[in-house]
PDB file of all heavy atoms in Angstrom:
ATOM      1  N   PRO A  43     -30.124  21.140  15.847  1.00 94.00           N
ATOM      2  CA  PRO A  43     -28.682  21.347  16.046  1.00 94.00           C
ATOM      3  C   PRO A  43     -28.085  20.244  16.911  1.00 94.00           C
ATOM      4  O   PRO A  43     -28.803  19.530  17.624  1.00 94.00           O
ATOM      5  CB  PRO A  43     -28.620  22.702  16.757  1.00 94.00           C
ATOM      6  CG  PRO A  43     -29.939  22.844  17.430  1.00 94.00           C
ATOM      7  CD  PRO A  43     -30.941  22.125  16.567  1.00 94.00           C
ATOM      8  N   THR A  44     -26.795  20.107  16.852  1.00 95.00           N
ATOM      9  CA  THR A  44     -26.115  19.091  17.654  1.00 95.00           C
ATOM     10  C   THR A  44     -26.400  19.278  19.139  1.00 95.00           C
ATOM     11  O   THR A  44     -26.526  18.301  19.884  1.00 95.00           O
ATOM     12  CB  THR A  44     -24.596  19.156  17.407  1.00 95.00           C
ATOM     13  OG1 THR A  44     -24.347  19.024  16.010  1.00 95.00           O
ATOM     14  CG2 THR A  44     -23.863  18.061  18.139  1.00 95.00           C
ATOM     15  N   THR A  45     -26.506  20.537  19.572  1.00 95.00           N
ATOM     16  CA  THR A  45     -26.801  20.781  20.986  1.00 95.00           C
ATOM     17  C   THR A  45     -28.120  20.135  21.387  1.00 95.00           C
ATOM     18  O   THR A  45     -28.253  19.622  22.497  1.00 95.00           O
ATOM     19  CB  THR A  45     -26.865  22.294  21.250  1.00 95.00           C
ATOM     20  OG1 THR A  45     -27.633  22.925  20.214  1.00 95.00           O
ATOM     21  CG2 THR A  45     -25.480  22.909  21.279  1.00 95.00           C
ATOM     22  N   ASP A  46     -29.109  20.136  20.495  1.00 95.00           N
ATOM     23  CA  ASP A  46     -30.397  19.528  20.836  1.00 95.00           C
ATOM     24  C   ASP A  46     -30.294  18.014  20.926  1.00 95.00           C
ATOM     25  O   ASP A  46     -31.010  17.377  21.701  1.00 95.00           O
ATOM     26  CB  ASP A  46     -31.460  19.922  19.805  1.00 95.00           C
ATOM     27  CG  ASP A  46     -32.185  21.198  20.201  1.00 95.00           C
ATOM     28  OD1 ASP A  46     -31.798  21.802  21.217  1.00 95.00           O
ATOM     29  OD2 ASP A  46     -33.124  21.602  19.485  1.00 95.00           O
ATOM     30  N   TYR A  47     -29.422  17.421  20.108  1.00 96.00           N
ATOM     31  CA  TYR A  47     -29.218  15.981  20.228  1.00 96.00           C
ATOM     32  C   TYR A  47     -28.707  15.646  21.628  1.00 96.00           C
ATOM     33  O   TYR A  47     -29.211  14.736  22.295  1.00 96.00           O
ATOM     34  CB  TYR A  47     -28.221  15.489  19.182  1.00 96.00           C
ATOM     35  CG  TYR A  47     -27.838  14.038  19.382  1.00 96.00           C
ATOM     36  CD1 TYR A  47     -28.598  13.016  18.836  1.00 96.00           C
ATOM     37  CD2 TYR A  47     -26.733  13.677  20.167  1.00 96.00           C
ATOM     38  CE1 TYR A  47     -28.284  11.682  19.047  1.00 96.00           C
ATOM     39  CE2 TYR A  47     -26.405  12.355  20.386  1.00 96.00           C
ATOM     40  CZ  TYR A  47     -27.180  11.361  19.823  1.00 96.00           C
ATOM     41  OH  TYR A  47     -26.865  10.045  20.047  1.00 96.00           O
ATOM     42  N   TYR A  48     -27.701  16.383  22.086  1.00 97.00           N
ATOM     43  CA  TYR A  48     -27.113  16.076  23.387  1.00 97.00           C
ATOM     44  C   TYR A  48     -28.004  16.529  24.537  1.00 97.00           C
ATOM     45  O   TYR A  48     -27.907  15.992  25.649  1.00 97.00           O
ATOM     46  CB  TYR A  48     -25.707  16.660  23.480  1.00 97.00           C
ATOM     47  CG  TYR A  48     -24.744  15.880  22.607  1.00 97.00           C
ATOM     48  CD1 TYR A  48     -24.387  16.335  21.341  1.00 97.00           C
ATOM     49  CD2 TYR A  48     -24.261  14.651  23.021  1.00 97.00           C
ATOM     50  CE1 TYR A  48     -23.546  15.599  20.517  1.00 97.00           C
ATOM     51  CE2 TYR A  48     -23.417  13.899  22.209  1.00 97.00           C
ATOM     52  CZ  TYR A  48     -23.065  14.378  20.954  1.00 97.00           C
ATOM     53  OH  TYR A  48     -22.250  13.624  20.149  1.00 97.00           O
ATOM     54  N   ARG A  49     -28.878  17.501  24.295  1.00 96.00           N
ATOM     55  CA  ARG A  49     -29.877  17.841  25.310  1.00 96.00           C
ATOM     56  C   ARG A  49     -30.856  16.686  25.500  1.00 96.00           C
ATOM     57  O   ARG A  49     -31.238  16.358  26.621  1.00 96.00           O
ATOM     58  CB  ARG A  49     -30.627  19.111  24.892  1.00 96.00           C
ATOM     59  CG  ARG A  49     -29.817  20.393  25.068  1.00 96.00           C
ATOM     60  CD  ARG A  49     -30.644  21.598  24.667  1.00 96.00           C
ATOM     61  NE  ARG A  49     -29.918  22.834  24.894  1.00 96.00           N
ATOM     62  CZ  ARG A  49     -29.653  23.737  23.963  1.00 96.00           C
ATOM     63  NH1 ARG A  49     -30.075  23.526  22.722  1.00 96.00           N
ATOM     64  NH2 ARG A  49     -28.986  24.833  24.249  1.00 96.00           N
ATOM     65  N   LEU A  50     -31.280  16.085  24.401  1.00 96.00           N
ATOM     66  CA  LEU A  50     -32.166  14.929  24.520  1.00 96.00           C
ATOM     67  C   LEU A  50     -31.431  13.778  25.204  1.00 96.00           C
ATOM     68  O   LEU A  50     -31.990  13.088  26.069  1.00 96.00           O
ATOM     69  CB  LEU A  50     -32.662  14.505  23.138  1.00 96.00           C
ATOM     70  CG  LEU A  50     -33.650  13.334  23.109  1.00 96.00           C
ATOM     71  CD1 LEU A  50     -34.928  13.684  23.873  1.00 96.00           C
ATOM     72  CD2 LEU A  50     -33.987  12.939  21.673  1.00 96.00           C
ATOM     73  N   GLN A  51     -30.181  13.570  24.849  1.00 97.00           N
ATOM     74  CA  GLN A  51     -29.397  12.501  25.474  1.00 97.00           C
ATOM     75  C   GLN A  51     -29.217  12.754  26.965  1.00 97.00           C
ATOM     76  O   GLN A  51     -29.135  11.805  27.759  1.00 97.00           O
ATOM     77  CB  GLN A  51     -28.030  12.408  24.783  1.00 97.00           C
ATOM     78  CG  GLN A  51     -27.135  11.322  25.345  1.00 97.00           C
ATOM     79  CD  GLN A  51     -25.831  11.212  24.588  1.00 97.00           C
ATOM     80  OE1 GLN A  51     -25.793  10.752  23.459  1.00 97.00           O
ATOM     81  NE2 GLN A  51     -24.753  11.671  25.208  1.00 97.00           N
ATOM     82  N   ALA A  52     -29.178  14.031  27.371  1.00 96.00           N
ATOM     83  CA  ALA A  52     -28.945  14.363  28.780  1.00 96.00           C
ATOM     84  C   ALA A  52     -30.052  13.853  29.690  1.00 96.00           C
ATOM     85  O   ALA A  52     -29.839  13.682  30.898  1.00 96.00           O
ATOM     86  CB  ALA A  52     -28.795  15.880  28.934  1.00 96.00           C
ATOM     87  N   PHE A  53     -31.248  13.600  29.148  1.00 96.00           N
ATOM     88  CA  PHE A  53     -32.312  13.017  29.966  1.00 96.00           C
ATOM     89  C   PHE A  53     -31.905  11.653  30.506  1.00 96.00           C
ATOM     90  O   PHE A  53     -32.443  11.186  31.514  1.00 96.00           O
ATOM     91  CB  PHE A  53     -33.593  12.871  29.144  1.00 96.00           C
ATOM     92  CG  PHE A  53     -34.352  14.156  28.933  1.00 96.00           C
ATOM     93  CD1 PHE A  53     -34.342  14.793  27.710  1.00 96.00           C
ATOM     94  CD2 PHE A  53     -35.073  14.724  29.974  1.00 96.00           C
ATOM     95  CE1 PHE A  53     -35.048  15.967  27.509  1.00 96.00           C
ATOM     96  CE2 PHE A  53     -35.780  15.903  29.789  1.00 96.00           C
ATOM     97  CZ  PHE A  53     -35.769  16.530  28.551  1.00 96.00           C
ATOM     98  N   PHE A  54     -30.959  11.001  29.843  1.00 97.00           N
ATOM     99  CA  PHE A  54     -30.545   9.643  30.224  1.00 97.00           C
ATOM    100  C   PHE A  54     -29.167   9.629  30.879  1.00 97.00           C
ATOM    101  O   PHE A  54     -28.592   8.561  31.077  1.00 97.00           O
ATOM    102  CB  PHE A  54     -30.542   8.750  28.987  1.00 97.00           C
ATOM    103  CG  PHE A  54     -31.876   8.673  28.297  1.00 97.00           C
ATOM    104  CD1 PHE A  54     -32.179   9.529  27.241  1.00 97.00           C
ATOM    105  CD2 PHE A  54     -32.838   7.774  28.713  1.00 97.00           C
ATOM    106  CE1 PHE A  54     -33.406   9.481  26.613  1.00 97.00           C
ATOM    107  CE2 PHE A  54     -34.071   7.718  28.093  1.00 97.00           C
ATOM    108  CZ  PHE A  54     -34.365   8.579  27.045  1.00 97.00           C
ATOM    109  N   ALA A  55     -28.647  10.817  31.226  1.00 95.00           N
ATOM    110  CA  ALA A  55     -27.271  10.895  31.738  1.00 95.00           C
ATOM    111  C   ALA A  55     -27.087  10.128  33.039  1.00 95.00           C
ATOM    112  O   ALA A  55     -26.011   9.574  33.295  1.00 95.00           O
ATOM    113  CB  ALA A  55     -26.873  12.364  31.921  1.00 95.00           C
ATOM    114  N   ALA A  56     -28.099  10.097  33.886  1.00 95.00           N
ATOM    115  CA  ALA A  56     -27.972   9.403  35.169  1.00 95.00           C
ATOM    116  C   ALA A  56     -28.369   7.936  35.085  1.00 95.00           C
ATOM    117  O   ALA A  56     -28.268   7.207  36.072  1.00 95.00           O
ATOM    118  CB  ALA A  56     -28.842  10.097  36.221  1.00 95.00           C
ATOM    119  N   SER A  57     -28.802   7.502  33.925  1.00 96.00           N
ATOM    120  CA  SER A  57     -29.384   6.165  33.787  1.00 96.00           C
ATOM    121  C   SER A  57     -28.316   5.109  33.534  1.00 96.00           C
ATOM    122  O   SER A  57     -27.368   5.339  32.784  1.00 96.00           O
ATOM    123  CB  SER A  57     -30.402   6.146  32.644  1.00 96.00           C
ATOM    124  OG  SER A  57     -31.394   7.136  32.854  1.00 96.00           O
ATOM    125  N   GLU A  58     -28.515   3.973  34.146  1.00 95.00           N
ATOM    126  CA  GLU A  58     -27.605   2.847  33.999  1.00 95.00           C
ATOM    127  C   GLU A  58     -28.360   1.633  33.473  1.00 95.00           C
ATOM    128  O   GLU A  58     -29.548   1.452  33.752  1.00 95.00           O
ATOM    129  CB  GLU A  58     -26.945   2.493  35.332  1.00 95.00           C
ATOM    130  CG  GLU A  58     -26.136   3.618  35.962  1.00 95.00           C
ATOM    131  CD  GLU A  58     -24.857   3.910  35.195  1.00 95.00           C
ATOM    132  OE1 GLU A  58     -24.431   3.034  34.410  1.00 95.00           O
ATOM    133  OE2 GLU A  58     -24.279   4.994  35.398  1.00 95.00           O
ATOM    134  N   LEU A  59     -27.661   0.793  32.724  1.00 96.00           N
ATOM    135  CA  LEU A  59     -28.226  -0.456  32.228  1.00 96.00           C
ATOM    136  C   LEU A  59     -28.070  -1.501  33.326  1.00 96.00           C
ATOM    137  O   LEU A  59     -26.955  -1.933  33.618  1.00 96.00           O
ATOM    138  CB  LEU A  59     -27.522  -0.899  30.947  1.00 96.00           C
ATOM    139  CG  LEU A  59     -27.925  -0.197  29.645  1.00 96.00           C
ATOM    140  CD1 LEU A  59     -27.669   1.302  29.703  1.00 96.00           C
ATOM    141  CD2 LEU A  59     -27.185  -0.790  28.458  1.00 96.00           C
ATOM    142  N   THR A  60     -29.187  -1.863  33.947  1.00 96.00           N
ATOM    143  CA  THR A  60     -29.129  -2.718  35.131  1.00 96.00           C
ATOM    144  C   THR A  60     -30.013  -3.943  34.969  1.00 96.00           C
ATOM    145  O   THR A  60     -30.867  -4.001  34.088  1.00 96.00           O
ATOM    146  CB  THR A  60     -29.569  -1.940  36.384  1.00 96.00           C
ATOM    147  OG1 THR A  60     -30.922  -1.475  36.192  1.00 96.00           O
ATOM    148  CG2 THR A  60     -28.662  -0.749  36.636  1.00 96.00           C
ATOM    149  N   GLU A  61     -29.800  -4.927  35.842  1.00 96.00           N
ATOM    150  CA  GLU A  61     -30.611  -6.144  35.878  1.00 96.00           C
ATOM    151  C   GLU A  61     -31.082  -6.379  37.308  1.00 96.00           C
ATOM    152  O   GLU A  61     -30.653  -7.340  37.964  1.00 96.00           O
ATOM    153  CB  GLU A  61     -29.827  -7.358  35.364  1.00 96.00           C
ATOM    154  CG  GLU A  61     -29.694  -7.436  33.858  1.00 96.00           C
ATOM    155  CD  GLU A  61     -28.612  -6.511  33.317  1.00 96.00           C
ATOM    156  OE1 GLU A  61     -27.599  -6.330  34.020  1.00 96.00           O
ATOM    157  OE2 GLU A  61     -28.788  -5.966  32.214  1.00 96.00           O
ATOM    158  N   PRO A  62     -31.959  -5.515  37.844  1.00 96.00           N
ATOM    159  CA  PRO A  62     -32.413  -5.696  39.229  1.00 96.00           C
ATOM    160  C   PRO A  62     -33.205  -6.992  39.395  1.00 96.00           C
ATOM    161  O   PRO A  62     -33.922  -7.429  38.498  1.00 96.00           O
ATOM    162  CB  PRO A  62     -33.311  -4.474  39.469  1.00 96.00           C
ATOM    163  CG  PRO A  62     -33.724  -4.017  38.104  1.00 96.00           C
ATOM    164  CD  PRO A  62     -32.592  -4.351  37.198  1.00 96.00           C
ATOM    165  N   SER A  63     -33.073  -7.584  40.554  1.00 96.00           N
ATOM    166  CA  SER A  63     -33.741  -8.859  40.826  1.00 96.00           C
ATOM    167  C   SER A  63     -35.237  -8.662  41.003  1.00 96.00           C
ATOM    168  O   SER A  63     -35.692  -7.685  41.599  1.00 96.00           O
ATOM    169  CB  SER A  63     -33.154  -9.501  42.083  1.00 96.00           C
ATOM    170  OG  SER A  63     -33.861 -10.684  42.406  1.00 96.00           O
ATOM    171  N   LEU A  64     -36.000  -9.603  40.471  1.00 96.00           N
ATOM    172  CA  LEU A  64     -37.454  -9.638  40.652  1.00 96.00           C
ATOM    173  C   LEU A  64     -37.867 -10.848  41.470  1.00 96.00           C
ATOM    174  O   LEU A  64     -39.056 -11.055  41.718  1.00 96.00           O
ATOM    175  CB  LEU A  64     -38.153  -9.698  39.287  1.00 96.00           C
ATOM    176  CG  LEU A  64     -37.877  -8.572  38.295  1.00 96.00           C
ATOM    177  CD1 LEU A  64     -38.558  -8.887  36.963  1.00 96.00           C
ATOM    178  CD2 LEU A  64     -38.361  -7.236  38.832  1.00 96.00           C
ATOM    179  N   ALA A  65     -36.891 -11.643  41.862  1.00 95.00           N
ATOM    180  CA  ALA A  65     -37.185 -12.939  42.483  1.00 95.00           C
ATOM    181  C   ALA A  65     -37.452 -12.807  43.975  1.00 95.00           C
ATOM    182  O   ALA A  65     -36.875 -11.953  44.665  1.00 95.00           O
ATOM    183  CB  ALA A  65     -36.028 -13.895  42.252  1.00 95.00           C
ATOM    184  N   GLU A  66     -38.311 -13.683  44.462  1.00 94.00           N
ATOM    185  CA  GLU A  66     -38.532 -13.802  45.900  1.00 94.00           C
ATOM    186  C   GLU A  66     -37.351 -14.564  46.510  1.00 94.00           C
ATOM    187  O   GLU A  66     -36.701 -15.368  45.831  1.00 94.00           O
ATOM    188  CB  GLU A  66     -39.835 -14.551  46.173  1.00 94.00           C
ATOM    189  CG  GLU A  66     -41.080 -13.854  45.655  1.00 94.00           C
ATOM    190  CD  GLU A  66     -41.366 -12.550  46.387  1.00 94.00           C
ATOM    191  OE1 GLU A  66     -40.949 -12.439  47.566  1.00 94.00           O
ATOM    192  OE2 GLU A  66     -41.984 -11.653  45.785  1.00 94.00           O
ATOM    193  N   PRO A  67     -37.063 -14.322  47.786  1.00 95.00           N
ATOM    194  CA  PRO A  67     -35.938 -15.026  48.433  1.00 95.00           C
ATOM    195  C   PRO A  67     -36.008 -16.543  48.285  1.00 95.00           C
ATOM    196  O   PRO A  67     -34.983 -17.202  48.082  1.00 95.00           O
ATOM    197  CB  PRO A  67     -36.062 -14.601  49.901  1.00 95.00           C
ATOM    198  CG  PRO A  67     -36.734 -13.269  49.843  1.00 95.00           C
ATOM    199  CD  PRO A  67     -37.679 -13.341  48.696  1.00 95.00           C
ATOM    200  N   ALA A  68     -37.204 -17.100  48.351  1.00 95.00           N
ATOM    201  CA  ALA A  68     -37.339 -18.551  48.241  1.00 95.00           C
ATOM    202  C   ALA A  68     -36.888 -19.042  46.871  1.00 95.00           C
ATOM    203  O   ALA A  68     -36.284 -20.122  46.749  1.00 95.00           O
ATOM    204  CB  ALA A  68     -38.795 -18.961  48.496  1.00 95.00           C
ATOM    205  N   GLU A  69     -37.173 -18.247  45.824  1.00 95.00           N
ATOM    206  CA  GLU A  69     -36.760 -18.626  44.472  1.00 95.00           C
ATOM    207  C   GLU A  69     -35.236 -18.619  44.362  1.00 95.00           C
ATOM    208  O   GLU A  69     -34.640 -19.521  43.761  1.00 95.00           O
ATOM    209  CB  GLU A  69     -37.365 -17.659  43.454  1.00 95.00           C
ATOM    210  CG  GLU A  69     -37.015 -17.996  42.006  1.00 95.00           C
ATOM    211  CD  GLU A  69     -37.531 -16.959  41.017  1.00 95.00           C
ATOM    212  OE1 GLU A  69     -38.332 -16.086  41.421  1.00 95.00           O
ATOM    213  OE2 GLU A  69     -37.126 -17.013  39.837  1.00 95.00           O
ATOM    214  N   VAL A  70     -34.598 -17.606  44.957  1.00 96.00           N
ATOM    215  CA  VAL A  70     -33.134 -17.515  44.918  1.00 96.00           C
ATOM    216  C   VAL A  70     -32.513 -18.682  45.677  1.00 96.00           C
ATOM    217  O   VAL A  70     -31.556 -19.317  45.204  1.00 96.00           O
ATOM    218  CB  VAL A  70     -32.667 -16.172  45.514  1.00 96.00           C
ATOM    219  CG1 VAL A  70     -31.143 -16.113  45.556  1.00 96.00           C
ATOM    220  CG2 VAL A  70     -33.229 -15.002  44.714  1.00 96.00           C
ATOM    221  N   GLU A  71     -33.069 -18.985  46.836  1.00 96.00           N
ATOM    222  CA  GLU A  71     -32.526 -20.083  47.644  1.00 96.00           C
ATOM    223  C   GLU A  71     -32.665 -21.419  46.924  1.00 96.00           C
ATOM    224  O   GLU A  71     -31.741 -22.241  46.934  1.00 96.00           O
ATOM    225  CB  GLU A  71     -33.255 -20.131  48.988  1.00 96.00           C
ATOM    226  CG  GLU A  71     -32.951 -18.957  49.899  1.00 96.00           C
ATOM    227  CD  GLU A  71     -33.802 -18.958  51.155  1.00 96.00           C
ATOM    228  OE1 GLU A  71     -34.540 -19.962  51.366  1.00 96.00           O
ATOM    229  OE2 GLU A  71     -33.738 -17.982  51.913  1.00 96.00           O
ATOM    230  N   ALA A  72     -33.802 -21.629  46.271  1.00 96.00           N
ATOM    231  CA  ALA A  72     -34.017 -22.889  45.556  1.00 96.00           C
ATOM    232  C   ALA A  72     -33.035 -23.028  44.397  1.00 96.00           C
ATOM    233  O   ALA A  72     -32.490 -24.117  44.152  1.00 96.00           O
ATOM    234  CB  ALA A  72     -35.457 -22.955  45.041  1.00 96.00           C
ATOM    235  N   PHE A  73     -32.784 -21.909  43.696  1.00 96.00           N
ATOM    236  CA  PHE A  73     -31.840 -21.958  42.580  1.00 96.00           C
ATOM    237  C   PHE A  73     -30.429 -22.256  43.082  1.00 96.00           C
ATOM    238  O   PHE A  73     -29.708 -23.079  42.494  1.00 96.00           O
ATOM    239  CB  PHE A  73     -31.866 -20.647  41.808  1.00 96.00           C
ATOM    240  CG  PHE A  73     -30.843 -20.580  40.706  1.00 96.00           C
ATOM    241  CD1 PHE A  73     -31.079 -21.200  39.486  1.00 96.00           C
ATOM    242  CD2 PHE A  73     -29.629 -19.924  40.890  1.00 96.00           C
ATOM    243  CE1 PHE A  73     -30.126 -21.163  38.471  1.00 96.00           C
ATOM    244  CE2 PHE A  73     -28.672 -19.878  39.887  1.00 96.00           C
ATOM    245  CZ  PHE A  73     -28.928 -20.495  38.672  1.00 96.00           C
ATOM    246  N   GLU A  74     -30.016 -21.567  44.142  1.00 96.00           N
ATOM    247  CA  GLU A  74     -28.664 -21.778  44.667  1.00 96.00           C
ATOM    248  C   GLU A  74     -28.486 -23.211  45.152  1.00 96.00           C
ATOM    249  O   GLU A  74     -27.414 -23.808  44.965  1.00 96.00           O
ATOM    250  CB  GLU A  74     -28.382 -20.785  45.800  1.00 96.00           C
ATOM    251  CG  GLU A  74     -28.279 -19.329  45.354  1.00 96.00           C
ATOM    252  CD  GLU A  74     -27.172 -19.107  44.346  1.00 96.00           C
ATOM    253  OE1 GLU A  74     -26.152 -19.833  44.405  1.00 96.00           O
ATOM    254  OE2 GLU A  74     -27.310 -18.222  43.481  1.00 96.00           O
ATOM    255  N   ALA A  75     -29.526 -23.775  45.739  1.00 97.00           N
ATOM    256  CA  ALA A  75     -29.436 -25.160  46.202  1.00 97.00           C
ATOM    257  C   ALA A  75     -29.310 -26.116  45.018  1.00 97.00           C
ATOM    258  O   ALA A  75     -28.499 -27.062  45.050  1.00 97.00           O
ATOM    259  CB  ALA A  75     -30.679 -25.505  47.033  1.00 97.00           C
ATOM    260  N   ALA A  76     -30.083 -25.852  43.954  1.00 96.00           N
ATOM    261  CA  ALA A  76     -30.005 -26.703  42.765  1.00 96.00           C
ATOM    262  C   ALA A  76     -28.635 -26.580  42.111  1.00 96.00           C
ATOM    263  O   ALA A  76     -28.049 -27.579  41.662  1.00 96.00           O
ATOM    264  CB  ALA A  76     -31.107 -26.325  41.781  1.00 96.00           C
TER     265      ALA A  76
END
């Protein structure tokens, strides 16, 4: 049923599409300097 579709979707209700940094500070500083 449609309710089950939105129940499955509800598992992702709090989720955001993000791009968290994986870089070390030195890598960020070197890039900004370049």
Side-chain angles (χ1 to χ4, degrees):
T44 305
T45 45
D46 270 5
Y47 172 87
Y48 288 99
R49 285 182 177 123
L50 182 62
Q51 180 177 288
F53 283 106
F54 302 94
S57 304
E58 301 290 341
L59 281 60
T60 60
E61 283 79 34
S63 176
L64 302 175
E66 297 293 333
E69 181 185 349
V70 176
E71 291 174 7
F73 176 80
E74 292 300 329

